[in-house]
């Protein structure tokens, strides 16, 4: 790495746009990942936290052009797990010492859904004596709904901005999907008291290096507690799958860029939680472990019952579609010790950034 930039990072001098652009374009990744790992070890330790993710329904009222479960995809068979089934899955996670779980689904705003979530959160809190942490990833909702779920016991929320470039956002969503509304939701969640995570997709058609630089500054400006970002992957039968504009980078380049984005997020934001996403693993079998080496500290193992997994495909070739959660656990254990990290079993693993605020 360029020595001036290297020294800036070492002495904790802020990086400017040009430095970040240089790093994103440079082929020397080793120094970058090593220094990001050093910062990670200092601020969040060499510890990985698991968030078991339950993808409990693919009914969705949104129509994002890139997503496999968008409303307009008539080829997707729709499913919805029962509340008891979700609570049972959460119980498995609790007994296996996952500190917390993520409940994710397509977006719905009807009263039945709102009450269903509240009921499920209360049920999970009850079976785990309030010990299992609950993160929600249920899209854009009204302020009062976020509040209701927070008071029921959810304490973290993931809502990706997808891209911080408003024009690009409008290219990958239908006209009634609003960038400003999404920002408003992130701010509401922060105001209510959630630990809030956001993120972007990397390698979208029409996305540039400047956009990625802006994404990193966006994370910093909005003062986020958690980041989950990963490659944009093709999803058959979506409008973007047939986009005439090709992304600027091929899969290999997107993979490396995604790792660099993790490393830079660690360098710039230090004490936040950063997830190494399944989408990284979709590009490389050991992509998630490499994410940990580049500065990430969270892994979200899929604990959805196997019979539903095939129908929750946001993108093509999603890994671990037919792997029972018990198998995943053994597999993850050895993968993580293989990269010399320990798993924070039974701990919530809150973002130190949130705690220190
Ligand atoms: N490729 C990568 N990520 C995707 N998501 C949805 N579709 C895709 C895709 N084709 C991501 C979005 C969304 C999250 C739940 O899944 O970033 O916020
Ligand atoms: Fe918006 Fe799935 S429809 S991310």
């Amino acid at each position: 790495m360029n020595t001036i930039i290297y020294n800036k990072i070492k002495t904790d001098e802020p990086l400017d746009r040009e430095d970040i652009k240089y790093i994103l374009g440079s082929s020397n990744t080793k120094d970058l990942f090593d220094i990001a790992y050093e910062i990670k070890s200092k601020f969040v330790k060499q510890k990985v936290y698991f968030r078991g993710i339950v993808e409990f329904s693919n009914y969705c009222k949104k129509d994002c052009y890139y997503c496999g479960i968008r409303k307009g995809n008539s080829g997707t068979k729709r499913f919805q797990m029962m509340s008891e089934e979700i609570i049972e899955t959460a119980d498995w996670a609790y007994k296996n010492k996952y500190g917390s779980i993520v409940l994710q689904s397509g977006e719905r705003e009807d009263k039945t859904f709102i009450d269903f979530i509240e009921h499920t959160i209360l049920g999970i809190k009850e079976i785990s004596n309030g010990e299992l942490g609950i993160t929600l990833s249920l899209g854009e909702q009204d302020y009062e709904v976020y509040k209701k779920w927070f008071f029921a016991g959810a304490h973290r929320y993931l809502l990706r901005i997808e891209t911080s470039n408003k024009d690009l956002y409008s290219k990958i969503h239908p006209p009634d999907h609003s960038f400003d509304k999404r920002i408003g939701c992130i701010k509401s969640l922060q105001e209510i008291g959630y630990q809030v995570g956001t993120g972007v997709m990397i390698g979208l058609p029409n996305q540039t290096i400047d956009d990625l630089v802006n994404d990193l500054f966006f994370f910093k400006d909005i003062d986020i507690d958690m980041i989950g970002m990963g490659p944009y992957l093709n999803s058959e039968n979506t409008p973007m799958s047939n986009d005439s504009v090709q992304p600027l980078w091929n899969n290999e380049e997107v993979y490396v860029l995604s790792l660099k984005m993790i490393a830079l997020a660690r360098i710039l934001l230090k004490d936040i939680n950063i997830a190494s996403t399944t989408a990284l693993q979709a590009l490389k079998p050991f992509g998630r472990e490499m994410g940990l080496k580049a500065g990430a500290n969270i892994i979200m193992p899929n604990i959805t019952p196997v019979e539903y997994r095939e129908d929750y495909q946001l993108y093509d070739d999603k890994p671990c579609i037919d792997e029972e959660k018990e198998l995943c656990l053994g597999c993850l254990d050895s993968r993580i010790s293989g990269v010399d990290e320990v798993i924070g079993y039974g701990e919530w693993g809150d973002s130190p950034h949130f705690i220190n605020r």
Side-chain angles (χ1 to χ4, degrees), residues 53 55 64-69 104-105 137 158-163 173 182 199-202 204 228-236 238 240 279 312-316:
I53 180 162
E55 298 161 337
C64 309
Y65 293 151
Y66 43 85
C67 179
I69 66 163
Q104 189 179 81
S105 73
S137 176
L158 309 176
L159 186 60
R160 286 185 174 180
I161 189 68
E162 316 296 359
T163 168
H173 296 101
R182 188 152 292 207
V200 294
M201 286 179 285
I202 298 158
L204 292 161
M229 57 190 166
Y232 157 68
L233 299 163
N234 186 60
S235 178
E236 229 185 33
T238 58
M240 259 163 69
Y312 200 89
Q313 298 230 42
L314 307 183
Y315 46 80
D316 302 340

Side-chain angles (χ1 to χ4, degrees), residues 118-344:
E118 186 182 30
H119 173 80
T120 308
I121 296 170
L122 291 170
I124 295 172
K125 283 287 163 188
E126 195 179 318
I127 55 103
S128 68
N129 303 313
E131 285 175 21
L132 194 63
I134 302 176
T135 305
L136 302 178
S137 176
L138 308 172
E140 294 169 12
Q141 305 286 343
D142 285 344
Y143 192 89
E144 289 308 315
V145 175
Y146 285 147
K147 224 163 137 179
K148 192 194 256 286
W149 293 341
F150 185 73
F151 286 117
H155 78 296
R156 302 190 190 113
Y157 205 103
L158 309 176
L159 186 60
R160 286 185 174 180
I161 189 68
E162 316 296 359
T163 168
S164 64
N165 176 337
K166 194 170 171 176
D167 284 341
L168 180 55
Y169 189 94
S170 71
K171 288 197 173 90
I172 63 174
H173 296 101
D176 63 346
H177 291 32
S178 154
F179 178 84
D180 293 333
K181 181 170 179 211
R182 188 152 292 207
I183 303 256
C185 285
I186 295 175
K187 294 198 165 147
S188 298
L189 289 160
Q190 288 176 318
E191 196 178 299
I192 292 167
Y194 282 96
Q195 289 176 45
V196 182
T198 194
V200 294
M201 286 179 285
I202 298 158
L204 292 161
N206 293 303
Q207 193 178 38
T208 64
I209 287 285
D210 279 305
D211 291 327
L212 298 178
V213 176
N214 290 334
D215 289 343
L216 290 163
F217 283 113
F218 170 83
F219 300 148
K220 201 163 167 58
D221 290 345
I222 202 161
D223 195 19
I224 214 72
D225 303 302
M226 314 179 283
I227 294 178
M229 57 190 166
Y232 157 68
L233 299 163
N234 186 60
S235 178
E236 229 185 33
N237 301 324
T238 58
M240 259 163 69
S241 177
N242 304 313
D243 205 311
S244 54
V245 182
Q246 287 304 308
L248 277 179
W249 312 287
N250 63 31
N251 274 356
E252 180 63 32
E253 289 164 329
V254 168
Y255 169 70
V256 177
L257 267 178
S258 302
L259 293 175
K260 284 184 181 172
M261 286 290 282
I262 290 179
L264 284 164
R266 177 60 68 203
I267 291 168
L268 292 176
L269 288 105
K270 307 215 163 31
D271 58 354
I272 58 163
N273 279 342
I274 304 178
S276 193
T277 56
T278 312
L280 262 178
Q281 192 188 341
L283 281 186
K284 285 271 161 140
F286 280 88
R288 271 193 316 187
E289 290 72 17
M290 288 311 297
L292 298 176
K293 282 292 177 205
N297 67 327
I298 304 285
I299 284 204
M300 296 159 72
N302 191 347
I303 58 169
T304 312
V306 167
E307 70 237 61
Y308 303 115
R309 291 196 191 182
E310 202 180 324
D311 299 316
Y312 200 89
Q313 298 230 42
L314 307 183
Y315 46 80
D316 302 340
D317 303 322
K318 194 169 162 201
C320 303
I321 284 295
D322 48 16
E323 213 150 8
E324 287 293 353
K325 51 190 181 311
E326 289 76 10
L327 266 179
C328 273
L329 193 58
C331 160
L332 269 166
D333 234 320
S334 56
R335 277 168 176 255
I336 308 266
S337 37
V339 286
D340 299 324
E341 301 247 321
V342 290
I343 300 167

